[in-house]
Amino acid sequence: HAQRERSVTVFHQGVAMTYVPVNRAGPAALGDLRVAKAQLTDRRGAKIGEMHGTLTTTAMDTPRPGDEIRQANLVFQIGREQDQIVVGGQSRYPADSATIGADSSAIRPILGGAGRFAGAHGWARTFHFADGAWKHVFHLRP
């Protein structure tokens, strides 16, 4: 019988972000790195894990002036330490912002998983709300 896609949804508030510029004496550049961490919660606000990841700037003033393309390596640990979903891909960011713009979303591929998410594949949609809150919905394919 055909299995159905299932979804897993997590939330978090602000993101702790460290910026590591390639050219410390000059303007932003290709290869700039941002390192992120956030505590994940369920819908009720109970802590259920953490997100750790990196964003690397790979294009500037693309697709429009003032935009950047950043490639992501995001690991969502949900539940036990070994229960992980890995998300990658690229998204558009405002060049003057550490994250995607408020009141926007991004879609990225799920690259894999471990533990109860072993063999995970599908896609993830990240929502960044105007109040600074975040929601990640993982669409896991059978």
Side-chain angles (χ1 to χ4, degrees):
H1 65 80
Q3 294 180 336
R4 292 191 166 165
E5 173 182 288
R6 72 180 176 124
S7 66
V8 174
T9 302
V10 298
F11 303 86
H12 62 83
Q13 291 302 312
V15 179
M17 187 76 72
T18 301
Y19 177 57
V20 184
V22 170
N23 181 3
R24 294 182 191 271
L30 294 179
D32 284 355
L33 181 69
R34 288 168 175 81
V35 181
K37 178 186 178 202
Q39 285 194 357
L40 302 177
T41 66
D42 64 13
R43 190 173 305 279
R44 296 178 311 271
K47 183 180 176 196
I48 58 169
E50 294 185 341
M51 183 276 297
H52 298 264
T54 58
L55 301 170
T56 305
T57 302
T58 59
M60 301 176 75
D61 289 325
T62 301
R64 296 183 303 261
D67 288 344
E68 291 182 356
I69 301 297
R70 297 180 193 155
Q71 288 185 349
N73 178 28
L74 306 173
V75 179
F76 293 83
Q77 175 264 313
I78 305 167
R80 300 174 305 166
E81 185 176 342
Q82 66 267 26
D83 297 333
Q84 301 176 17
I85 297 173
V86 180
V87 174
Q90 66 183 29
S91 297
R92 180 178 56 86
Y93 291 77
D96 61 355
S97 177
T99 65
I100 62 172
D103 230 6
S104 68
S105 67
I107 295 176
R108 299 183 185 96
I110 294 173
L111 304 179
R116 70 180 167 128
F117 302 109
H121 65 282
W123 59 283
R125 185 162 189 178
T126 295
F127 299 88
H128 185 195
F129 300 108
D131 67 358
W134 296 78
K135 177 171 82 170
H136 305 273
V137 180
F138 306 100
H139 299 270
L140 303 169
R141 300 284 169 96

